Amino acid sequence: MSRLIWHQAVLQNMFDSVIAVDTRQRIMLMNPAAERLLGYTIKEIQGQDFSEILTLENSEYRNEIRQSLQTVLETGQHEIFTSQTEFIQQTELNSKNGGNIAPLYEHPGKIMGALFVFYNQNQYLNPGLCSEDLEKFIVRSPVAIALFDRNMRYLATSRRWIDDYRLEDDNLLGRSHYEVFPEIPNHWKVTHQQCLAGSILRNEELFPREHGEAHWINWVIQPWYESRNTIGGMVVLTEDITDRKHLEQENQDLLEQLVAAQKIESLGRLAGGIAHDFNNMLNVIQGHVGLALLDIDTDHPLHQHLTEIRDAAERSTDLTQQLLSFSSREESKPRLIELNQSIEGMMGILKRLIAEEIEFVWEPESEGCIVKMDPSQIDQILANLCVNASDAISGIGTITLKTVNREFDHEFCKAHPDYLPGHFVMLSVSDTGPGIDPATQARIFEPFFTTKPQGKGTGLGLSTVAGIVNQNQGFIRVENQPGSGSTFQIFLPCRRDGKPLPYLEPAVRAPIGTSEMILLIDDEPMLAKISREILLSLGYRVIIATSPREAIQMMLDFKGTVNLLITDVVMPEMNGQELYHALQKLQPNLNVLYMSGYTLHIMAEQGITSEENSFLKKPFSRNELAVKVRQVLQQSRAS
């Protein structure tokens, strides 16, 4: 890019002496007229300080030029010098000169140097010689340059111009540019006329080439002069910047991926905090429902409602955990499940997710739809696809949910590269919306890409679905008919010989205590209260605290033995493990059960793993709490 700019600078006003310097006032390029004026070739003085080469009879004038140059480099303003003096040179050529200094820009806003133009007044300077120098310069130039007269006939071209545009140089000179390129766009003809009127123009443009190729070209067009006031034609410089454009696009893609990754990381942090608080509230709901179910007969009218609340809370727990898994990359917990049964268990929630005027159709495969994956992942796939299908339908329409067993052999997959060989269960969600246009379909699985209005979608739904399917060795296809709707097909490996685990109703009786004393600490007062009620119902004695400081004070005030500490892990003042170690100093035989709604990697940071018997994941049911408490107490007695 910079080489192209320097060549463009050298070509300005070639019949006068032209010298280009960089920001450190070092000579970079000059034309033959300047070489004659200074008495040096460019090879002899390139890179030297301009002020050392500029030897004038009048020292005050030399200082004036130096100061003007500094002003141009600092401000970008043009400077004109009109004084005349004699150059002291090694040649016999002495000349009285005036001229101007103009800034050279690498790009708008960044000055890369300055351009001196000395108006040569000598009578013996032959314009024909300058024209010859210009033609030689163009022919030898390593960039694509062409010299034209006012009728756009070729006067000279560089070898690079010939090669770049695949031209025949033996019959090019003297021919019209419009004859060589008969399909040239009209806006280029307008640009040529502007240049011949005295304008210097530049731009970047995408040009079609042979065989359907397209190249990005950076171009500069400027007039050349037969005399001081007569334009003889124009000089055109072009540079193929296709590779640079591709690199810029790759950099932009990488930047967008980085921004997306940072958004996901931020989402993970936000989800972790929200899910922790949400899990606490779910725990309160489950705790109260669990206690209520103990006190009500199964044939009571409210029993069914309480059971529905319990099931909805458990479903919400699974979905919250899946959000955490997506944002923090936690490992899922796959198991064999019967896909149709899992979908039917989700049906009530799905119908509430779609608009009332939309018909919901369920067409299950007869049998054999067994897959191995985390059940909550099925819930998340269904929720995302059904919500998207509902949003795609404006007014009355239909969403069809279907499962089908499919098998693809290697021959089929060779002919259809987007398929994988093997036995699969296809889960499809179809809608009767307007369909998806091709440009949108190419990006629908990108994180944070959404066509929904601001505030109506995050752009994470389909990217989450794609991530889940890939994690489970499946694949996705989208069948789309613009104007007639779209179908998302999820193919999951079928485990025909597997036996899914049956759904087990919660045990009616939970292991009970024998009046052991438990100190329970949770910084959520509502959860601490319901946990106390559950433990009391199980036959334990309980004291509760809502902060580590309060727990330590209770232990100091309590005169008896505390058999078990149940503590939240992440709390103000100190974490659960630090609290346990502090209380151990007061009662060395104290047992501990940690509980938390945070993700596994946050637990690991606190020094606690979920594999330990002393850890209970929130939200938990009455039975889960009862079993875990007995495990810890019995383990301590056995040791």
Side-chain angles (χ1 to χ4, degrees), residues 197-211:
S199 297
I200 299 176
L201 306 164
R202 69 183 68 203
N203 205 346
E204 294 180 354
E205 194 167 341
L206 188 63
F207 277 83
R209 290 284 183 88
E210 295 179 4
H211 309 297

Side-chain angles (χ1 to χ4, degrees), residues 448-482:
F448 299 103
F449 174 77
T450 180
T451 58
K452 296 178 181 179
Q454 187 172 3
K456 297 295 185 181
T458 63
L460 287 174
L462 289 179
S463 64
T464 301
V465 170
I468 292 173
V469 174
N470 291 334
Q471 181 183 356
N472 289 279
Q473 291 77 51
F475 62 95
I476 304 176
R477 292 191 71 256
V478 181
E479 291 188 350
N480 180 52
Q481 296 180 344

Side-chain angles (χ1 to χ4, degrees), residues 356-555:
E356 293 182 357
E357 63 271 22
I358 296 176
E359 181 184 5
F360 192 84
V361 179
W362 165 225
E363 299 178 357
E365 176 69 273
S366 57
E367 60 181 7
C369 296
I370 299 174
V371 298
K372 185 177 182 180
M373 61 189 301
D374 191 318
S376 65
Q377 292 181 328
I378 293 293
D379 294 348
Q380 194 162 17
I381 290 175
L382 291 170
N384 281 317
L385 293 183
C386 289
V387 167
N388 282 351
S390 177
D391 291 343
I393 298 173
S394 178
I396 298 174
T398 302
I399 295 176
T400 303
L401 182 60
K402 181 188 298 186
T403 55
V404 180
N405 285 317
R406 299 291 302 273
E407 181 178 356
F408 309 111
D409 58 24
H410 289 279
E411 292 299 322
F412 178 86
C413 294
K414 285 182 181 179
H416 303 83
D418 52 341
Y419 285 80
L420 295 175
H423 297 277
F424 294 88
V425 177
M426 184 192 75
L427 165 64
S428 69
V429 177
S430 304
D431 64 68
T432 55
I436 309 172
D437 64 81
T440 300
Q441 185 170 335
R443 301 187 60 191
I444 55 177
F445 294 112
E446 294 180 11
F448 299 103
F449 174 77
T450 180
T451 58
K452 296 178 181 179
Q454 187 172 3
K456 297 295 185 181
T458 63
L460 287 174
L462 289 179
S463 64
T464 301
V465 170
I468 292 173
V469 174
N470 291 334
Q471 181 183 356
N472 289 279
Q473 291 77 51
F475 62 95
I476 304 176
R477 292 191 71 256
V478 181
E479 291 188 350
N480 180 52
Q481 296 180 344
S484 301
S486 59
T487 298
F488 284 80
Q489 298 175 335
I490 310 296
F491 293 87
L492 300 169
C494 181
R495 307 300 178 95
R496 292 185 172 182
D497 298 330
K499 294 184 178 180
L501 294 175
Y503 175 74
L504 298 177
E505 289 289 340
V508 176
R509 294 183 60 83
I512 61 175
T514 55
S515 298
E516 292 94 339
M517 175 58 72
I518 295 176
L519 172 59
L520 186 143
I521 299 95
D522 197 300
D523 57 356
E524 173 52 58
M526 292 177 64
L527 183 53
K529 182 179 178 181
I530 188 58
S531 298
R532 176 179 179 273
E533 292 185 26
I534 292 174
L535 290 169
L536 289 174
S537 73
L538 292 169
Y540 298 100
R541 293 178 295 147
V542 187
I543 53 177
I544 63 172
T546 56
S547 71
R549 189 187 305 274
E550 184 182 359
I552 293 173
Q553 187 60 51
M554 283 186 170
M555 184 69 83

Side-chain angles (χ1 to χ4, degrees), residues 4-5 7-9 11-12 134 137-139 141-162 164-165 167 177-178 181 184 188-189 191-196 199-203 205 207 217-224 232-240:
L4 180 63
I5 295 176
H7 279 291
Q8 178 244 323
L11 289 175
Q12 291 186 28
L134 177 59
F137 175 83
I138 289 175
V139 170
S141 176
V143 296
I145 307 178
L147 180 69
F148 298 93
D149 65 12
R150 290 190 59 85
N151 295 316
M152 290 302 295
R153 291 188 295 257
Y154 281 92
L155 299 178
T157 64
S158 66
R159 183 72 251 175
R160 183 66 176 272
W161 179 280
I162 300 295
D164 279 2
Y165 296 100
L167 302 175
H177 184 58
Y178 304 138
F181 295 98
I184 190 169
W188 265 98
K189 296 180 180 180
T191 300
H192 295 157
Q193 293 303 314
Q194 291 174 331
C195 178
L196 292 172
S199 297
I200 299 176
L201 306 164
R202 69 183 68 203
N203 205 346
E205 194 167 341
F207 277 83
I217 301 296
N218 178 44
W219 55 264
V220 179
I221 301 179
Q222 64 181 66
W224 63 270
M234 72 176 68
V235 180
V236 180
L237 301 88
T238 66
E239 180 186 20
D240 191 319

